[in-house]
Amino acid sequence: AALKHILGDPVLEEMLFAVASCCESVIACRVSPIQKALLLKMVRKYVSPTPTTLAIGDGANDVGMIQEAHIGIGISGLEGQQAVNASDFSIAQFRYLESLLLIHGRWNFMRMSKTVLFFFYKNAALIGTLMVFSSHCMHSGTPLYDPWVISVFNFVGGSIPIICMGVFDRDLPRD
């Protein structure tokens, strides 16, 4: 009932955020779905730089909070599938959250970093050869590669290594 009076008033919101930011964690229980979303919006508003927010919910009352967060995790359970349908990721039980965040999250971060670097170097090699060839041809516009060679290079050289890395690359074991 107290949040109903605090949320919406900028001065009281800032005071609540000042108290909440001194805590290690904040748990809001017995609040309405709209108040959960407003609390999340308040965090995004008052924290600088803007943080990446994560919301975890297991029922229909958590849908607003999950949709307001940058990343939403729905837990399927007895309360239905509404949170799962509104979320970015879905897990069957709360105990799988640790492995989703710490193991799969790290693996995905490392894979994405390597993928960006791979595409950068692949395109740098392709354009580098074109620039060297262009200078030898007096910048006449003579093509070094046929268009189909570039297409095959981008398809085969861009997709097969990425698929292999996605399937086999794990920088640390699960344990």
Side-chain angles (χ1 to χ4, degrees), residues 6 8-16 46:
I6 293 174
D9 184 5
V11 175
L12 293 176
E13 278 184 0
E14 199 164 344
M15 288 173 59
L16 174 65
Y46 290 112

Side-chain angles (χ1 to χ4, degrees), residues 143-162:
L144 172 62
Y145 305 116
D146 285 334
W148 67 270
V149 173
I150 294 174
S151 298
V152 169
F153 176 73
N154 279 324
F155 179 71
V156 174
S159 62
I160 293 176
I162 297 302

